Amino acid sequence: MSITIKDVAKFANVAPSTVSRVIANNPRISDKTKEKVREAMDELGYHPNFIARSLASQSTQVLGLVTPGSSDVFFQNPFFPTVLRGLSEGAHEKQYALQLVTGMDEEEIYNGVVQMVQGGRVDGVVLLYSKVEDRILMYLREQRFPFVMIGKPFKFVDEITHVDNDNFQATKDATDYLLKLGHERVSFVGGDVNLVVTVERLLGYKNALEEAGITYRKDYVLHESFLLEGGKDAVGELMELPLSERPTALVIADDLMALGVLNTLNEIGIAVPGDISIMSFNNVLVSEMSRPPLSSVDINIFDLGYEASKQLIKRIEKPEEPAKRIIVQHNLVKRFSSGPLTK
Amino acid sequence: MSITIKDVAKFANVAPSTVSRVIANNPRISDKTKEKVREAMDELGYHPNFIARSLASQSTQVLGLVTPGSSDVFFQNPFFPTVLRGLSEGAHEKQYALQLVTGMDEEEIYNGVVQMVQGGRVDGVVLLYSKVEDRILMYLREQRFPFVMIGKPFKFVDEITHVDNDNFQATKDATDYLLKLGHERVSFVGGDVNLVVTVERLLGYKNALEEAGITYRKDYVLHESFLLEGGKDAVGELMELPLSERPTALVIADDLMALGVLNTLNEIGIAVPGDISIMSFNNVLVSEMSRPPLSSVDINIFDLGYEASKQLIKRIEKPEEPAKRIIVQHNLVKRFSSGPLTK
DNA sequence: TTGTACGCGTTATCAA
DNA sequence: TTGATAACGCGTACAA
């Protein structure tokens, strides 16, 4: 068994409660006693027991992280490590630890969240995604448990503190950019339609077309999984269109998908950006290393994570404050996968 | 305040201890009482408080995950998400949660581990790396705290349970493969020399050369960071060699580095595999999508993680069992970045 | 088979 | 400024 507060108390000839106060740096303890107690702690190699502290104070200093149901594919996406780094840094600054919900499907993850929350394992939760329908969100809301979301809530936007990009504007910017390069047949390749981010981006895309006076075509809009395979499939679908109607530019909602597209186009002998321009999202590391390097909307993933943990901690410490919407800047990074229309 | 064991006890007209026993499914409780208590739990929506349980039972059902000091670059590497997925699955099967140590540098992470361990936050720890000198490992060893390592311990190999590839043999296989293709000037591009995996791979490389009767050249061995930039720098160094002495094949210790190499070679007009063959390690997702697709040694990263959490849980539950060395299989995946010597 | 009583290591309230 | 003492919610030895 390790050294407890009682051992320190005995050693320093004070009461356990006094030791506790020294740990909390309570101003009503004399400097002399503090000194004495701290020496005792050092001498004995005392470390506070977090579990006991949590039980007594009803707070754990731990944040729970919730990934979408398909956590296997989510982990694969370079988005995840970066957002995690941001979360980690934000949490660390305030001495919070990070705990992951494990589980293979949505059901398991839901149960994991309930256990975490009811079991008092965490003080708050970060949802690393935003879905159109979400049991987990509904549950947390019902419980009035502190949580923040990365992304835009589908409902209750001004009740839920969330950290998001302006995905509508970002996609509009991306689309505008391609339109200004002279492209008129611009296609949108989005991810899972159950994700709010997909919905928002699609709206931004449509809006850009509209303002440019270009008719929206349903067969120019594709939805695939946020992965390499998704990119391949997308190309297949577009190539079914008659040659004269094929898009000359693509807005792709994720770099990995874009990589898939790039490779598939390469295989069938279509040049980028010669025949087709590509603009994608996230600006992860690999986007720089593809052939050609991808033009991509940098959404500052690290900041999304960093802000999320900061906001959650605020929410835990001051639950009465109103919900906030934090917008993280985006900016277009133009590389070589996009260029002016050549024909 | 939420429902406690006492509320359930009152509701079901039994003692709190009886409820506790029902939760533990103690065989000495009659089926009738169990039934009654379970109904009460359902009725009241009872969920056990993990913190209280942890304090009483001195166990948390949480595993701690420790990344190397440079966690920012570690997170970037596609190795991380995959190993995490494995860890998560292994932990979830046994109802363990995962907690991350946060911290920006080695010092902070060390402190995080000490807090985690002394604070009783976790039942065991997984080290996701193996370094030549490691305070954290020394600390855990001194404390006799349950931990496992992914990779091969530099010291105390048969005292520490670890999950590893046979990196010596894997690199030997990779090198042999290139030698058999006719290459004689084979270079080795390794990662951080403080990592044991780098040391092991270098030994395997040397051994393969030796058995093939090829003299080892120091200037054919490079050490860079496990990232894209590392790959670029490596090419720079090799190009300083006189043309006739430049290697015709490269063994590269990481796919990301290999990607960097690939791109840099491409920029300066050197063909792969025409002029230089490349064989790399890890076989992460992007290796398939590069131009040309990378030949890579698949080290089954998921299994490394999965086995690690399984072994750690065993170790927690049966601390008296002897340490084990678990070897995860590797296999060469031949794609298009490697080919026969052409001159 | 079930209940009583205590301990786990803290924090917090109330006196002194 | 400090010390008793009672929570916090659960597990378990011992008693019944």
Side-chain angles (χ1 to χ4, degrees):
Chain A
M1 197 83 355
S2 56
I3 310 294
T4 78
I5 213 171
K6 287 181 191 166
D7 301 321
V8 177
K10 262 181 213 154
F11 193 89
N13 269 318
V14 294
S17 49
T18 303
V19 178
S20 177
R21 288 188 183 104
V22 173
I23 295 170
N25 202 15
N26 187 316
R28 298 188 312 192
I29 298 286
S30 72
D31 287 350
K32 215 174 67 187
T33 325
K34 276 185 184 170
E35 185 62 23
K36 191 172 61 179
V37 171
R38 287 196 179 120
E39 269 173 24
M41 298 196 308
D42 282 353
E43 192 70 27
L44 298 176
Y46 168 78
H47 284 268
N49 181 315
F50 274 99
I51 303 297
R53 172 179 289 184
S54 297
L55 185 59
S57 65
Q58 302 287 67
S59 101
T60 59
Q61 297 274 110
V62 178
L63 309 181
L65 264 33
V66 181
T67 53
S70 45
S71 50
D72 50 336
V73 321
F74 187 73
F75 281 10
Q76 296 295 339
N77 197 305
F79 176 86
F80 173 67
T82 308
V83 79
L84 188 58
R85 211 158 47 81
L87 287 161
S88 169
E89 195 155 322
H92 185 257
E93 282 179 9
K94 296 280 190 174
Q95 313 267 52
Y96 275 75
L98 257 32
Q99 190 154 323
L100 296 169
V101 180
T102 64
M104 297 307 116
D105 55 36
E106 181 169 340
E107 177 74 12
E108 287 186 2
I109 291 186
Y110 177 79
N111 292 331
V113 172
V114 173
Q115 276 199 14
M116 233 184 198
V117 170
Q118 306 275 4
R121 277 191 199 263
V122 297
D123 293 342
V125 162
V126 182
L127 300 181
L128 300 185
Y129 62 90
S130 171
K131 288 200 302 188
V132 172
E133 290 290 339
D134 190 6
R135 294 170 65 192
I136 295 179
L137 184 145
M138 295 311 282
Y139 165 77
L140 293 170
R141 204 177 103 88
E142 262 172 34
Q143 298 287 321
R144 308 187 141 280
F145 194 78
F147 75 99
V148 303
M149 157 175 274
I150 294 182
K152 182 178 177 182
F154 187 63
K155 298 181 199 168
F156 319 114
V157 184
D158 35 42
E159 275 181 48
I160 297 173
T161 289
H162 59 283
V163 182
D164 194 15
N165 303 105
D166 186 343
N167 277 303
F168 176 87
Q169 188 63 45
T171 318
K172 197 173 163 184
D173 292 350
T175 312
D176 274 345
Y177 162 70
L178 292 171
L179 293 173
K180 291 224 174 76
L181 286 174
H183 297 278
E184 300 194 334
R185 299 202 301 277
V186 180
S187 167
F188 175 82
V189 183
D192 188 338
V193 282
N194 291 312
L195 295 178
V196 175
V197 57
T198 303
V199 177
E200 290 288 310
R201 289 184 180 165
L202 181 55
L203 290 174
Y205 161 80
K206 281 186 183 171
N207 188 262
L209 292 187
E210 198 174 312
E211 293 195 356
I214 294 179
T215 318
Y216 162 74
R217 288 182 56 156
K218 217 173 177 178
D219 54 356
Y220 273 15
V221 173
L222 269 41
H223 292 289
E224 306 288 347
S225 73
F226 273 124
L227 279 179
L228 290 162
E229 290 303 322
K232 291 189 186 174
D233 297 348
V235 174
E237 289 193 44
L238 290 174
M239 290 307 125
E240 285 174 10
L241 291 167
L243 189 57
S244 63
E245 295 186 20
R246 284 190 199 157
T248 63
L250 268 43
V251 176
I252 305 182
D254 186 275
D255 287 334
L256 269 195
M257 274 203 293
L259 262 188
V261 169
L262 216 49
N263 276 300
T264 317
L265 289 176
N266 188 304
E267 278 168 20
I268 60 179
I270 294 181
V272 175
D275 299 321
I276 291 189
S277 279
I278 289 181
M279 180 88 209
S280 71
F281 273 84
N282 291 10
N283 194 34
V284 295
L285 218 65
V286 288
S287 49
E288 204 176 333
M289 302 314 282
S290 64
R291 300 279 102 191
L294 280 172
S295 297
S296 186
V297 180
D298 190 336
I299 58 170
N300 291 304
I301 300 175
F302 176 90
D303 292 346
L304 288 172
Y306 182 77
E307 273 302 321
S309 51
K310 291 301 235 190
Q311 291 299 326
L312 178 55
I313 292 168
K314 271 192 196 159
R315 200 142 189 78
I316 290 167
E317 291 173 353
K318 304 194 176 175
E320 69 283 357
E321 302 229 329
K324 268 194 283 190
R325 167 166 170 83
I326 308 284
I327 295 298
V328 169
Q329 292 306 308
H330 64 267
N331 55 299
L332 304 200
V333 178
K334 294 161 192 168
R335 295 204 184 85
F336 301 99
S337 66
S338 54
L341 184 65
T342 48
K343 301 158 202 169
Chain B
M1 198 81 356
S2 59
I3 309 296
T4 78
I5 214 170
K6 285 183 193 166
D7 301 319
V8 177
K10 263 180 213 155
F11 193 89
N13 269 318
V14 295
S17 54
T18 304
V19 178
S20 176
R21 289 187 182 106
V22 173
I23 296 170
N25 203 12
N26 187 315
R28 299 187 312 190
I29 298 286
S30 73
D31 288 350
K32 215 173 64 187
T33 324
K34 277 184 184 170
E35 184 62 23
K36 192 172 58 178
V37 171
R38 287 194 179 121
E39 270 173 21
M41 298 198 307
D42 283 352
E43 192 70 28
L44 299 176
Y46 168 78
H47 285 268
N49 181 315
F50 273 100
I51 303 297
R53 171 181 287 185
S54 295
L55 186 58
S57 65
Q58 303 287 65
S59 101
T60 59
Q61 297 274 111
V62 178
L63 309 180
L65 263 34
V66 181
T67 53
S70 45
S71 49
D72 50 335
V73 321
F74 187 73
F75 280 10
Q76 296 296 340
N77 198 306
F79 177 86
F80 173 67
T82 309
V83 79
L84 187 58
R85 211 157 48 82
L87 287 161
S88 170
E89 193 155 324
H92 185 258
E93 282 179 10
K94 296 281 189 173
Q95 313 266 52
Y96 276 76
L98 256 31
Q99 190 154 322
L100 296 171
V101 180
T102 65
M104 297 306 115
D105 55 36
E106 181 169 339
E107 178 73 11
E108 287 185 2
I109 291 185
Y110 177 79
N111 292 331
V113 172
V114 173
Q115 276 199 14
M116 232 184 199
V117 170
Q118 305 276 4
R121 277 192 199 264
V122 297
D123 293 343
V125 162
V126 182
L127 299 181
L128 300 187
Y129 62 90
S130 172
K131 287 200 302 189
V132 171
E133 289 292 339
D134 190 6
R135 294 170 65 192
I136 295 179
L137 184 145
M138 295 311 281
Y139 166 75
L140 293 170
R141 204 177 104 87
E142 262 172 32
Q143 298 288 322
R144 308 187 143 278
F145 194 80
F147 75 98
V148 304
M149 157 175 272
I150 295 183
K152 182 178 176 182
F154 187 64
K155 297 181 199 167
F156 319 115
V157 185
D158 35 43
E159 277 180 45
I160 297 172
T161 289
H162 59 283
V163 182
D164 194 15
N165 303 105
D166 187 341
N167 277 305
F168 177 88
Q169 188 62 46
T171 318
K172 197 172 163 184
D173 292 349
T175 312
D176 274 344
Y177 161 69
L178 292 170
L179 293 172
K180 291 222 174 77
L181 286 173
H183 298 279
E184 298 194 335
R185 299 202 300 278
V186 180
S187 168
F188 175 82
V189 183
D192 187 339
V193 281
N194 291 312
L195 295 178
V196 176
V197 57
T198 303
V199 178
E200 290 288 309
R201 287 183 182 167
L202 181 56
L203 290 174
Y205 161 79
K206 280 186 184 172
N207 188 262
L209 292 187
E210 197 175 313
E211 292 194 358
I214 293 179
T215 318
Y216 162 74
R217 287 180 59 154
K218 218 173 177 179
D219 54 355
Y220 275 14
V221 173
L222 269 39
H223 292 289
E224 308 288 348
S225 73
F226 273 125
L227 279 178
L228 291 163
E229 291 304 322
K232 290 189 188 176
D233 298 347
V235 174
E237 290 194 43
L238 289 175
M239 289 308 126
E240 286 173 10
L241 291 168
L243 190 58
S244 63
E245 293 186 21
R246 286 190 197 155
T248 63
L250 269 42
V251 176
I252 305 182
D254 185 275
D255 287 334
L256 269 195
M257 274 203 292
L259 262 187
V261 169
L262 216 49
N263 277 301
T264 316
L265 289 177
N266 188 303
E267 278 169 19
I268 60 178
I270 294 181
V272 175
D275 299 321
I276 291 189
S277 279
I278 290 181
M279 180 89 209
S280 71
F281 274 84
N282 290 12
N283 194 34
V284 295
L285 219 65
V286 288
S287 49
E288 203 176 330
M289 302 314 283
S290 64
R291 300 277 101 191
L294 280 171
S295 297
S296 186
V297 181
D298 189 336
I299 59 170
N300 291 303
I301 300 175
F302 177 89
D303 292 346
L304 288 172
Y306 183 77
E307 273 301 321
S309 51
K310 290 302 238 188
Q311 291 299 327
L312 177 55
I313 292 168
K314 270 192 196 159
R315 197 137 193 83
I316 290 167
E317 291 173 353
K318 304 194 176 176
E320 69 283 358
E321 301 229 327
K324 267 194 281 189
R325 167 167 170 83
I326 308 285
I327 296 298
V328 169
Q329 290 307 307
H330 63 268
N331 54 299
L332 304 199
V333 179
K334 295 161 193 167
R335 296 204 182 86
F336 301 99
S337 66
S338 55
L341 184 67
T342 48
K343 302 158 202 169

